[in-house]
Amino acid sequence: MYFTDRGIEELQKRRGDEEVTLDWLAEQLRTFVDLQPEFETPIERLATWLARLDDDED
């Protein structure tokens, strides 16, 4: 596990059994960016990446 994976590991450990909707996730990401605007670019990149996972990679 990389140092940067600690938050991911904590998320999985604490909430790994929960089911959430993408609407819920989007709302949480919006709230996070409102509270931490300096993270807007990486959050937008993550959201775009997740939205396009099934797109053909040309």
Side-chain angles (χ1 to χ4, degrees):
M1 172 174 64
Y2 294 101
F3 175 77
T4 55
D5 291 343
R6 290 186 356 191
I8 297 168
E9 295 294 327
E10 181 178 351
L11 174 63
Q12 187 175 28
K13 188 180 294 182
R14 287 180 174 231
R15 298 190 174 250
D17 294 333
E18 294 180 23
E19 291 186 26
V20 299
T21 66
L22 290 177
D23 285 334
W24 179 89
L25 176 60
E27 187 58 35
Q28 301 314 307
L29 292 173
R30 282 187 199 99
T31 300
F32 179 79
V33 168
D34 287 346
L35 296 171
Q36 307 290 328
E38 67 272 19
F39 290 104
E40 181 177 5
T41 298
I43 293 298
E44 287 296 324
R45 287 181 182 168
L46 172 62
T48 301
W49 180 78
L50 289 171
R52 297 176 182 174
L53 277 176
D54 293 336
D55 287 358
D56 291 334
E57 293 185 30
D58 293 331

